[in-house]
Amino acid sequence: MEKQKNEWFEWLKAILIAVALAGGIRYFIFAPIIVEGESMMPTLHNQDRMIVNKMAYKIGEPERFDIIVFHAEEGKDYIKRVIGLPGDRIEYKNDTLYVNGKPYKEPYLDEEKKQLFDGPLTESFTLEELWGRKTVPEGHLFVLGDNRRYSKDSRHIGFIPMEKVVGKTSVVYWPLSDARIVE
């Protein structure tokens, strides 16, 4: 009888440790997210399931063109692409991104731009026109959705404070037919 009690106790202990480890990993390191909407088309699709690396910016800094998840003002999490880092001057002119006066290619937008016949994918703007600032403030990011005509992003909601960033994402795991690493 004593041996049977001991075996049950060991199983219970193993299960509790496994649940605590899984919960800790999900809460502190990785978390799943479901893409809602089409603001990141064609890169990400509505209902894609992704993994968010919550540790990415605890040990490193965001890089231009990272895809991030952040807490938005409406109490929802948004997924967008980092375009401007602290201190950057951001400008769009003739459908071309300029950072600190230097043009940047955005290959993830090439296919969408080819399909357009009624104007630019991204309307021209400067940070000063949008927000009265010449540069992205310290501790903030400027983000855009890849579906530029239909994305609620920093052009509408402003700069994203780093403390609102949940993490970086680049792995689509569902649907299995679309599983991939995105850039």
Side-chain angles (χ1 to χ4, degrees):
M1 188 67 139
E2 182 68 31
K3 186 177 179 182
Q4 200 173 21
K5 274 187 182 178
N6 220 6
E7 192 174 317
W8 277 105
F9 179 71
E10 290 302 316
W11 272 104
L12 181 62
K13 195 165 64 170
I15 290 170
L16 288 174
I17 289 170
V19 167
L21 278 173
I25 288 170
R26 184 171 191 267
Y27 186 78
F28 293 109
I29 301 173
F30 297 107
I33 189 168
I34 299 173
V35 176
E36 292 181 11
E38 298 179 351
S39 72
M40 284 297 292
M41 291 281 290
T43 308
L44 301 175
H45 304 264
N46 188 35
Q47 299 301 303
D48 277 353
R49 285 166 171 69
M50 302 185 75
I51 299 291
V52 178
N53 179 349
K54 292 181 168 188
M55 294 299 293
Y57 302 132
K58 305 272 190 265
I59 56 176
E61 295 292 319
E63 294 181 16
R64 190 172 334 284
F65 306 127
D66 281 355
I67 297 175
I68 64 167
V69 175
F70 61 93
H71 300 305
E73 294 300 322
E74 297 87 25
K76 291 173 50 175
D77 288 345
Y78 280 13
I79 185 166
K80 304 291 178 197
R81 190 179 296 275
V82 174
I83 300 297
L85 301 169
D88 282 346
R89 276 181 322 169
I90 304 297
E91 178 179 9
Y92 258 90
K93 190 168 39 177
N94 300 323
D95 220 3
T96 300
L97 168 64
Y98 291 87
V99 179
N100 302 320
K102 177 184 168 196
Y104 275 76
K105 292 190 183 305
E106 296 179 281
Y108 47 88
L109 299 178
D110 288 347
E111 286 303 312
E112 289 297 304
K113 285 182 178 182
K114 286 179 190 173
Q115 295 176 18
L116 294 176
F117 57 89
D118 61 346
L121 181 62
T122 309
E123 293 292 330
S124 296
F125 69 85
T126 66
L127 289 183
E128 196 162 18
E129 291 168 350
L130 292 175
W131 300 109
R133 296 187 57 101
K134 291 186 182 202
T135 63
V136 177
E138 279 305 311
H140 291 74
L141 301 170
F142 186 86
V143 299
L144 295 175
D146 289 356
N147 191 355
R148 299 292 165 78
R149 290 182 170 184
Y150 305 101
S151 177
K152 188 173 183 182
D153 48 39
S154 284
R155 295 171 294 178
H156 310 97
I157 61 175
F159 303 104
I160 308 305
M162 277 303 297
E163 59 267 12
K164 297 229 178 188
V165 175
V166 175
K168 176 181 176 178
T169 185
S170 60
V171 177
V172 174
Y173 69 88
W174 193 263
L176 276 178
S177 59
D178 286 338
R180 67 195 183 282
I181 295 177
V182 293
E183 294 187 35

